[in-house]
Amino acid sequence: QALGGADVLTSCCCAFDKSISLVALEFEPRTAAAPPPNATMNVGAMVSSTSTDVGSPVKPYEPPGMMEVRDKYGQLKEVMGTFNDKVSKVLSDAENQFLQAYRAHMTDVHRELQLLRSKLAEAETSLQKDEQIQSLERDCVWYKNQRNQLDSFVNAMHKDLLYMKEKYDMLQKDRDWLARQLKASKKQQRLLRSDMEGRAAWT
């Protein structure tokens, strides 16, 4: 876009230079002098001047202020000659400043992008840690439930063990009592048998 603007300015300068050249050609000195429109000359004076200036070149006619116009035209032409260079230098400086600002802006954007990427990585790592923590908390709750179930099972088994031990003691006492009763019954049976045998022998 900067180069396009320089081309447009150059074309405008060339057109303006051509216009100034055409205007200057209109005011160039002519070979035949033209009398001013409001000039009144005496015929005798014209004859005398013609007779006295025979053989001398005719001085060309110049409108008033033509020298000033030529000076201004020269100055304008000189300015227009350096105008393209000045415009090109201004555009080049503007382009360099724009490129420097663009590079600085892109550097800031790249730095901010790297910062956002690092923050995103930290957020992902934190999220993974949070998921791990939640998973560990779920495992902890499951193990607590399992511990409570095992504790209740152990308590029930302990109660059963106490009950079985008490029953075993009772059965052991009953067995001892029955064993003593059996021994007493056997002893009484032997006594009765020997008594019956003795009576049978007496008869």
Side-chain angles (χ1 to χ4, degrees), residues 100-114:
Q100 290 178 359
Y102 178 75
R103 292 191 186 98
H105 177 67
M106 290 305 296
T107 302
D108 294 337
V109 169
H110 183 70
R111 187 182 300 110
E112 186 175 358
L113 183 61
Q114 292 294 331

Side-chain angles (χ1 to χ4, degrees), residues 27 30 34 42 59 79 102 122 128 143 175:
F27 291 97
R30 298 175 177 81
N42 193 354
K59 185 178 180 181
V79 170
Y102 178 75
E122 290 178 358
Q128 291 178 357
Y143 282 118
R175 189 182 74 84

Side-chain angles (χ1 to χ4, degrees), residues 47-113:
V47 172
S48 63
S49 64
T50 305
S51 62
T52 54
D53 294 338
V54 174
S56 63
V58 180
K59 185 178 180 181
Y61 170 75
E62 289 186 358
M66 189 61 195
M67 291 299 297
E68 185 177 359
V69 172
R70 287 179 179 173
D71 292 339
K72 296 296 183 182
Y73 172 71
Q75 294 176 5
L76 182 60
K77 194 172 183 180
E78 183 179 358
V79 170
M80 293 302 296
T82 59
F83 182 73
N84 290 333
D85 296 336
K86 290 182 179 179
V87 170
S88 299
K89 185 176 183 302
V90 170
L91 293 176
S92 178
D93 294 340
E95 185 177 1
N96 291 331
Q97 291 177 1
F98 173 76
L99 290 175
Q100 290 178 359
Y102 178 75
R103 292 191 186 98
H105 177 67
M106 290 305 296
T107 302
D108 294 337
V109 169
H110 183 70
R111 187 182 300 110
E112 186 175 358
L113 183 61

Side-chain angles (χ1 to χ4, degrees), residues 33-43 46 61:
N38 57 355
T40 58
M41 298 179 64
N42 193 354
V43 177
M46 186 183 297
Y61 170 75

Side-chain angles (χ1 to χ4, degrees), residues 64-187:
M66 189 61 195
M67 291 299 297
E68 185 177 359
V69 172
R70 287 179 179 173
D71 292 339
K72 296 296 183 182
Y73 172 71
Q75 294 176 5
L76 182 60
K77 194 172 183 180
E78 183 179 358
V79 170
M80 293 302 296
T82 59
F83 182 73
N84 290 333
D85 296 336
K86 290 182 179 179
V87 170
S88 299
K89 185 176 183 302
V90 170
L91 293 176
S92 178
D93 294 340
E95 185 177 1
N96 291 331
Q97 291 177 1
F98 173 76
L99 290 175
Q100 290 178 359
Y102 178 75
R103 292 191 186 98
H105 177 67
M106 290 305 296
T107 302
D108 294 337
V109 169
H110 183 70
R111 187 182 300 110
E112 186 175 358
L113 183 61
Q114 292 294 331
L115 181 61
L116 290 176
R117 285 178 178 173
S118 62
K119 287 184 178 180
L120 179 61
E122 290 178 358
E124 289 179 352
T125 304
S126 177
L127 182 61
Q128 291 178 357
K129 289 182 179 179
D130 291 340
E131 290 179 354
Q132 291 178 356
I133 291 173
Q134 292 177 0
S135 177
L136 292 174
E137 288 179 351
R138 289 193 295 268
D139 293 341
C140 183
V141 171
W142 184 82
Y143 282 118
K144 285 182 179 179
N145 293 330
Q146 291 294 318
R147 186 201 63 184
N148 293 330
Q149 292 179 3
L150 291 175
D151 287 340
S152 61
F153 179 74
V154 168
N155 292 328
M157 293 295 292
H158 185 67
K159 290 179 179 179
D160 292 339
L161 180 62
L162 292 177
Y163 172 76
M164 295 297 291
K165 189 175 181 181
E166 290 177 358
K167 194 167 186 177
Y168 173 77
D169 293 337
M170 290 176 64
L171 291 173
Q172 187 70 27
K173 290 179 180 179
D174 290 341
R175 189 182 74 84
D176 294 339
W177 183 79
L178 290 172
R180 288 195 299 270
Q181 291 294 325
L182 182 61
K183 288 180 179 179
S185 296
K186 286 181 178 181
K187 185 177 182 182

